[in-house]
Amino acid sequence: MANVDSREAHVEIDSVRLGFGERDVFEDLSCRFARARITVLMGGSGTGKSTVLRMIAGLQRPDSGRVVVAGEDVAALSERGLQRVRRRLGMLFQDGALLDSMTVLENVGLPLREHTKLGEAEIRDAVHERLAAVGLHDVDELLPGELSGGMLRRVALARAIIMDPEIVLCDEPFSGLDPPNVERIEALFRELCHDRGLTLIVTSHHMASSLRMSDQIVLLQHGRAVLGDPGELATSGDADITDFLGADGAALARQIAREGHR
Amino acid sequence: MTDTPIHRLGRFGSSWIVGLGRIANFAGGIVLAIVRPPWRVQRVVRAVYDAGVLSVALICGAGFAVGMVLGLQGYTTLVRFGAQESLGAVVGLVLIRELGPVVTGLLVIGRAGSATTAEIGAMVSTQQLDGLRMMSIDPMHFVVMPKALALAFVMPLLSSLFIVFGVFGGYVVGVELVGLDGGSYMASLENAVGFRDDVLQSLVKSAVFGALLGVIATYRGFTSPGNAMGVSRSTTSAVVTTSVWLLLADYVITAFWGV
């Protein structure tokens, strides 16, 4: 299937091979993620969605191949080089990865404290602004252990975007969220992407929201990536893709293709 | 290729040497992190509180109990030779030269060392260290260095506290229970203890034990596999490995000190 977006690639994975022990996760994976677009990585469990995000973040090196992020091959960079590239990235981990000895305010403000000369009042304002964007108020002094799963993930998302990164990687951002908060995060993603020009790469099992908000879908199957927009995937005729989408998913994808994304 | 005992021995030997090299490299990373800004004073103070202040009650209680036992054992032995007036010297020297640094070391390994490994291991398994990397914050600088430095820093202080309470425990038994003269107890202690051979040796030993614990406890946590079983194994390994290295280092320092 052809790449749906001819824009400049902000992230490009080229002929990547990666195995864990005897098992090959990717034999020859290639795909590209366009600048200022929302790309949703979909696929069954164990197809390597989170691993793709970890490779882009430089947390997992491939056995061979290139992972080019904003013009730099992160697979070949030293830890110091990776630190430079990561300043342009924000990442939401599946379990939040918040520091459990720090409060919400300290967690979200940590990148600002480390990399800027902002005063405490400015940091507090910036933290409150990001927390409000993800629908959270009055949680400054709570520890991660005192938050629900959905709140934890939203705090982690606030931390991921606090430095205004160019690229945001989100691992299952909708997991554990109620419908109003799923819509709130979808709207935030659209704003980040279409108003502020951020590139979003999101893994999700949440079929409806993935189809609704994505500009491009990358479907991982059998160590390969199939790219397309929701309508293309629904009408591809590929049995594996049809199986993965299911009848409801395919119908929704066709409807979205007919009516436009948003 | 056949897998003979010689092959297995060779594999074990080479993996042991590689492991040693990795720990040495890790220790070098900690030293670099100590001298590289930003200075993480607040995090070091917090780690000193966790490893040191929270261990004070344990160290004082253990020191007092060990001192009392030494007082009793020392008295029953010395009285056979009519040398019971030397009880202060015996209790003091045994505590300062050996039991102070070694028992404190083993207690701190069990309390603060295991907690350090488990905490860093849990941070690995919950991706907190990866989270720091994604914020361009070096986990070695932010997490490992303060904890390792704190362990190395608190060990001589806790050992000194252990010795003081041990001497006091020996005093309680020797003077208050057995009826020795308090002045003789303290005078024999004062006359027997030298600064270079006793006090300095004690401080050097506890500083070395602290540095060993700091490096091994943080290394085991940092390299822990990201699951519950891995964290548990790393914690056990940190306690066992550091205890063995502590006892070996104790012998080496004692031998080289020329006692």
Side-chain angles (χ1 to χ4, degrees), chain B residues 154-214:
Chain B
V154 300
M155 195 72 97
L157 300 178
L158 291 174
S159 173
S160 304
L161 203 58
F162 183 95
I163 292 165
V164 168
F165 272 79
V167 168
F168 178 57
Y171 183 93
V172 168
V173 168
V175 177
E176 304 297 333
L177 294 182
V178 180
L180 290 177
D181 177 57
S184 303
Y185 180 91
M186 294 309 293
S188 74
L189 172 68
E190 197 179 330
N191 290 334
V193 175
F195 178 75
R196 186 192 165 277
D197 280 344
D198 304 318
V199 178
L200 190 60
Q201 183 186 169
S202 179
L203 288 173
V204 167
K205 276 184 178 177
S206 51
V208 170
F209 299 164
L212 276 175
L213 175 60

Side-chain angles (χ1 to χ4, degrees), chain A residues 26 41 47-56 60 91 94 171-172 203 220, chain B residues 127:
Chain A
F26 306 122
L41 275 164
T47 49
K49 301 184 294 296
S50 300
T51 307
V52 169
L53 294 191
R54 291 181 62 80
M55 286 196 302
I56 294 169
Q60 176 73 55
M91 182 160 180
Q94 210 169 84
D171 200 357
E172 299 290 349
T203 72
L220 292 177
Chain B
Q127 298 184 305

Side-chain angles (χ1 to χ4, degrees), chain A residues 28 64 121 123 138 149 207 256:
Chain A
D28 182 17
S64 63
I123 290 175
D138 302 324
M207 185 73 74
I256 287 169

